[in-house]
Amino acid sequence: MGGEGLAYLYVMLSRSDTAMGRFIRTFTRSTFNHVSVSLDDSLSCFVSFARYRVDIPLAGGYVQEDAQRLLYRGNPLPVVIFRLEIPEAQRQELALLFAHAGEPDAPIYNTLGALLSWLHLPCPVPGAYTCLEFANRLLGTRYRSIPALQKGLAPYAFFEGNLGDL
């Protein structure tokens, strides 16, 4: 941990080997297609808005992403992880948000926004997030694309490589 009363928020960009991931990367010309966040210093669990199952394209929402989910089919998962120092009070607020995000009336996955991400234009849907929209909410930012988020967070780079190597 950082100094007294400080904690870390980790933001991970990943390159998933799924049909949706390849679609997003092809049209956005991005190295990465997914954004996850974590408060866990061990980096063993991340959270995001995504499809519940990789083989079902429309149903999704808040998901917890551990290594088994992220390392799809045992394939390597190229990632870049950023570490941002935050006040402990903010960490506690985010932990509470994460705890309630999976409840029945919680926001769902913004499939339309994900499909239209190749335009680099926001497509807000009330009560829904894409992984990027969720990260923007947590960070208080308005990045329109994953490459823009990556560039904005570059000074906070913490790890780059295969997630399985952590």
Side-chain angles (χ1 to χ4, degrees), residues 59-142:
Y62 175 80
V63 294
Q64 292 189 359
E65 299 177 318
D66 59 13
Q68 183 178 355
R69 177 181 166 86
L70 291 168
L71 297 172
Y72 178 67
R73 294 184 180 159
N75 293 335
L77 182 68
V79 301
V80 61
I81 300 175
F82 305 95
R83 183 173 74 174
L84 294 86
E85 204 169 77
I86 59 173
E88 177 60 28
Q90 183 180 2
R91 189 203 70 76
Q92 291 176 7
E93 288 174 21
L94 292 175
L96 187 60
L97 172 71
F98 294 170
H100 294 291
E103 293 178 353
D105 62 342
I108 60 172
Y109 182 58
N110 183 356
T111 303
L112 180 60
L115 291 172
L116 296 177
S117 64
W118 62 278
L119 294 173
H120 296 283
L121 296 173
C123 183
V125 173
Y129 290 111
T130 63
C131 58
L132 178 61
E133 290 166 340
F134 182 62
N136 275 329
R137 177 171 184 245
L138 299 180
L139 296 169
T141 56
R142 292 179 182 244

Side-chain angles (χ1 to χ4, degrees), residues 13-84:
L13 307 182
S14 58
R15 178 186 172 97
S16 56
D17 187 27
T18 63
M20 179 68 100
R22 288 187 297 275
F23 172 83
I24 290 171
R25 287 192 312 276
T26 297
F27 288 100
T28 62
R29 294 189 171 100
S30 174
T31 303
F32 301 103
N33 59 274
H34 187 59
V35 184
S36 308
V37 296
S38 182
L39 298 170
D40 178 12
D41 290 327
S42 72
L43 303 176
S44 61
C45 186
F46 284 80
V47 297
S48 187
F49 273 77
R51 292 170 298 135
Y52 293 131
R53 292 182 39 186
V54 297
D55 55 344
I56 299 176
L58 300 178
Y62 175 80
V63 294
Q64 292 189 359
E65 299 177 318
D66 59 13
Q68 183 178 355
R69 177 181 166 86
L70 291 168
L71 297 172
Y72 178 67
R73 294 184 180 159
N75 293 335
L77 182 68
V79 301
V80 61
I81 300 175
F82 305 95
R83 183 173 74 174
L84 294 86

